[in-house]
Amino acid sequence: MNRRTLTPLALAGLLASTLAACSGGMSGKEGSGGTIVVGTTARVAVTEDTPAPFDPAASYDDSSWNIMRNTFQTLLRPPRTGTEPVTDAAEKCGFTDKRNEQYSCTLRDGLTFSNGNKLNAEDVEFSLERLLLIDFKGGPASLFSNVDEVEAEAGNKVVFHLKKPDATFPYKLATPAASIVDSQTYPADRLAKGFKGTGSGPYVLDDFDAKRRKVLLSGNPDYQGASQAKSQKIELRFFNSSKSLQKALDSGDVDLMNGGVSSRYIEQLEKDRDDQIKLVEQPGQAVRYLVFDTEDETVGQRAVRQAFAQVIDRKQLVSTVYPRTAEPLFSVVPGGLVGHTNSFFNEYGEPDEKAAKRTLRKADVKTPVRLSLHYPQVGKGGSGAKEFALLEKQLNGSGLFDASVEIEPPTSYSTASLRGEYQVYGFAWLPDFPDADNFIAPFFAKDNVLNSPYSSKEIREELIPETRREPERADASENFARAQDIVADDVPVLPLWQGKQYVAAHDDITGVEWALNSSSLLQLWELDRGVSS
């Protein structure tokens, strides 16, 4: 993902390794002129995987989407509470037929881009057609592969004609993939490279300072929508490690930290109840999978993947590497979503080396099975290294596997994964929208974001189309459960854990509880500065 797909294991993006260490900068408490400083371990860079970080036709990583969410507008946006999208650039939207194949939106009056150009239905049509035309590999175009035609009509109205019914289409229009770009500025058939962006969101990108590792945003005075900025100045500052970010929050150099909230720091904040730093915990849908190359000579054998699933101890993994910040995950669909079922636990139960041995023996697979696990190097040490070292230990400790861990360069990790260069690799997914469909279709539909050779005809041709016909998502639960059971039986991917969301901030910062939406994206317009206790 590039985003939500092949994001490195720390759930971060990338910042060029040549950038200097974070130095100086404005204090979150003094001399900022009201600027709210948000620290994060997420990073942005121009790399092989992300040649155009702020172009909606290419960007699919969490770091870029965080900035795009706040500087571009979409027809719809995620709600403050619940899951049903609400209007943003649109005044009203809805399906116009009973089959959920035609969706129409009427835009608000007076919309303009940050360069002063007017925003109209033609720009919406241009933006989506451009996304599909460029079809950047590993990008977000797959979210809209079901779109047959987009029509801009009189009265600032745009109509989307879908190839097949899709009740989740409104959710997709609320993602940064559907960001509206200026048809007079952006090229129709190629990417807009670099760090510039022309949008119509609540904030304007003033500066991307690579040397000082920060992004400066200011309130957009011409913004017309439902997300008016409460604070007119925001600085996003990038840090190399959780430790340095936590130090900056403690000292007051930053006002709020997103990402990198370690288990130890959570424990420290909970003990220091007189501290002026508050911690907000929320359910999260960030998940970690292992992905198998199902065409590989070794892990292409289903018995090998099943035995792998029977050996891995998720509970030990979470308690050792991610205490307090994650929970074991036994399905490709995380807990908390309608349709979730613990398919892997139902299929394999607790870790069982004897059962794994029987599985391999029945398939005439010689042991120990030699294979390699791959993950990207993000910083020195860190949770990724600990996680994969423990996975290696669990596999080899069974006597059934001869596993080795390979550390890969993060700048080419996504591309290499898509090329099928790894037998087994780590994969982090943040949802585009809060629906079980977004944990099944992106991975198992045709032209999936993994570029996986695995294919289930039942999932692809029956279950995905059937779940998308259900406007009441609870009515799709049975088919979602069936899809999860198929994945548990075939094991093209292996779910490991589901993360929680934490935001830590000084107590004079308001709106912290609304700072992250259900897709773990920052909603910076919610933040403001109040009075410290």
Side-chain angles (χ1 to χ4, degrees), residues 317-494:
L317 180 66
V318 168
S319 63
T320 302
V321 184
Y322 302 105
R324 304 171 71 94
T325 62
E327 297 175 337
L329 180 61
F330 295 92
S331 174
V332 290
V333 176
L337 288 182
V338 173
H340 162 81
T341 183
N342 288 316
S343 296
F344 274 82
F345 188 85
N346 297 338
E347 180 76 17
Y348 304 108
E350 298 289 350
D352 191 336
E353 294 176 3
K354 292 182 178 179
K357 186 175 183 179
R358 290 194 296 269
T359 297
L360 294 171
R361 182 184 299 162
K362 186 177 180 180
D364 293 325
V365 176
K366 294 182 180 180
T367 58
V369 178
R370 182 173 296 178
L371 54 82
S372 58
L373 309 174
H374 301 256
Y375 78 96
Q377 178 71 63
V378 180
K380 295 182 179 179
S383 57
K386 295 176 183 177
E387 178 176 0
F388 273 73
L390 183 53
L391 290 171
E392 179 185 37
K393 182 178 179 180
Q394 289 179 353
L395 290 168
N396 295 343
S398 70
L400 302 174
F401 293 91
D402 179 9
S404 61
V405 172
E406 302 291 338
I407 305 173
E408 306 296 342
T411 53
S412 59
Y413 185 75
S414 299
T415 301
S417 302
L418 293 170
R419 290 173 182 161
E421 296 181 12
Y422 306 142
Q423 280 185 303
V424 187
Y425 65 91
F427 175 93
W429 179 256
L430 287 165
D432 302 304
F433 52 89
D435 189 275
D437 175 271
N438 199 230
F439 293 87
I440 295 176
F443 312 133
F444 309 115
K446 186 179 179 181
D447 300 323
N448 59 78
V449 296
L450 297 173
N451 199 30
S452 172
Y454 171 78
S455 176
S456 165
K457 184 176 181 180
E458 184 178 353
I459 292 178
R460 184 172 296 180
E461 298 182 9
E462 298 178 29
L463 298 176
I464 292 176
E466 288 175 9
T467 58
R468 288 179 172 175
R469 291 190 188 101
E470 297 292 350
E472 295 296 330
R473 304 310 288 154
D475 294 339
S477 294
E478 185 175 340
N479 285 325
F480 280 136
R482 172 59 185 157
Q484 292 166 83
D485 289 344
I486 292 172
V487 174
D489 188 45
D490 290 343
V491 204
V493 302
L494 181 69

Side-chain angles (χ1 to χ4, degrees), residues 27-32 251-255 506-509 529 532:
S27 167
K29 292 293 182 182
E30 299 176 359
S32 63
S251 67
D253 283 344
V254 302
D255 297 301
H506 287 273
D507 64 357
D508 64 331
I509 302 300
R529 192 181 298 280
S532 174

Side-chain angles (χ1 to χ4, degrees), residues 171-210:
Y171 294 87
K172 296 170 184 175
L173 286 179
T175 69
S179 294
I180 306 168
V181 301
D182 183 6
S183 58
Q184 299 180 52
T185 302
Y186 283 75
D189 57 356
R190 65 184 186 279
L191 298 176
K193 297 184 179 181
F195 297 108
K196 299 296 182 181
T198 302
S200 59
Y203 285 99
V204 175
L205 177 59
D206 285 337
D207 185 39
F208 183 93
D209 189 334

Side-chain angles (χ1 to χ4, degrees), residues 9 12 20 178 188 217 231 235 256 281 285 332 360 399 425 431 468 491:
L9 291 175
L217 305 174
S231 177
E235 175 186 328
L256 178 148
E281 176 185 333
Q285 294 170 359
V332 290
L360 294 171
Y425 65 91
R468 288 179 172 175
V491 204

